[in-house]
Amino acid sequence: MANRRPKPEEIVSKLRQVEVLMGQGMSRLDAIRQIGVVEQTYYRWRKQYGGMGVDQLKELKRL
């Protein structure tokens, strides 16, 4: 069974989920594992999508 690539909206949601978990006192590595990705993927997503909101994602798609 092939893995599917998450949509940008799902990526932003997972990045926010990590921030919430870290705010609750969980370590960064544990929070990253909780969302089901490896550390390298998290940092790559954060570099590409970090700080984006849903409106900005829609604008990015439109372009």
Side-chain angles (χ1 to χ4, degrees):
M1 184 174 185
N3 292 337
R4 65 174 188 87
R5 182 170 295 181
K7 295 181 180 177
E9 294 87 4
E10 295 170 348
I11 292 172
V12 170
S13 169
K14 287 185 178 194
L15 290 174
R16 287 187 183 160
Q17 186 177 359
V18 168
E19 291 175 11
V20 169
L21 291 172
M22 286 174 39
Q24 295 173 348
M26 188 179 284
S27 72
R28 181 178 306 243
L29 290 177
D30 290 338
I32 292 170
R33 289 184 192 125
Q34 180 88 20
I35 65 167
V37 297
V38 295
E39 192 175 2
Q40 182 179 6
T41 301
Y42 168 76
Y43 287 114
R44 186 178 67 242
W45 284 354
R46 195 176 78 173
K47 182 179 177 183
Q48 186 172 4
Y49 296 105
M52 279 192 180
V54 177
D55 296 334
Q56 292 170 334
L57 266 177
K58 288 179 182 176
E59 182 67 22
L60 181 66
K61 276 186 180 180
R62 192 183 64 78
L63 297 175

